[in-house]
Amino acid sequence: MNTTLISLALDRTLTNIAWFLVVGLAVVGVLLGGFVLGRRVRDHEPAPPTPETQPHLPEGGAVYEVREERDYVEIPEGGLRPHEMQGYGNFGSRTHDHPVEARAERESDYAPQEGPGPHPQPGAPPDAGRGAHA
């Protein structure tokens, strides 16, 4: 057997291993440099806000939703063009004088849904009703 070929093959294998280690150390160095750079950037950022600088509830407590009924605005059958609308495309409506009666009149046509819901439970028989939401 030729010892020259064996030594050349061994030399080439060691060279490949050396390059693998050099590239691996370079990747580790780049990653560590990224962490160091990120830490420096983070050190220059302002501190997180303290509880005293956070927004607080108003004196009267939480603000609740305001429900109001607006007066109906008649729109012509042919519709309106943008230049015919009032208030930049929004009709200037007023708060209804009797909101309770207006809401009752609007909701008088409401009827609860009968039969299965819009999304019956998978695998349920057709007459299973509303499933878990019954």
Side-chain angles (χ1 to χ4, degrees):
M1 194 159 231
N2 194 351
T3 57
T4 310
L5 289 176
I6 294 175
S7 66
L8 285 176
L10 184 63
D11 187 39
R12 187 171 199 171
T13 302
L14 291 177
T15 304
N16 288 341
I17 291 173
W19 276 115
F20 181 75
L21 289 174
V22 168
V23 170
L25 289 175
V27 168
V28 168
V30 168
L31 289 173
L32 288 175
F35 280 111
V36 169
L37 179 65
R39 188 68 180 160
R40 285 183 186 170
V41 168
R42 192 166 180 188
D43 287 342
H44 291 296
E45 291 177 354
T50 61
E52 293 82 27
T53 61
Q54 296 293 320
H56 299 285
L57 285 175
E59 292 297 324
V63 179
Y64 296 97
E65 176 183 342
V66 175
R67 294 187 66 180
E68 62 182 1
E69 295 293 323
R70 308 297 287 178
D71 282 336
Y72 182 73
V73 177
E74 209 42 62
I75 298 178
E77 189 174 321
L80 293 173
R81 296 184 178 214
H83 68 276
E84 297 172 331
M85 293 183 175
Q86 306 165 1
Y88 301 103
N90 297 320
F91 283 103
S93 62
R94 298 180 302 116
T95 302
H96 201 283
D97 295 330
H98 306 288
V100 175
E101 290 84 4
R103 185 175 297 122
E105 179 183 342
R106 186 187 73 228
E107 294 175 353
S108 64
D109 295 334
Y110 174 75
Q113 186 178 15
E114 295 293 328
H119 304 289
Q121 298 293 323
D127 59 348
R130 297 181 65 86
H133 306 290

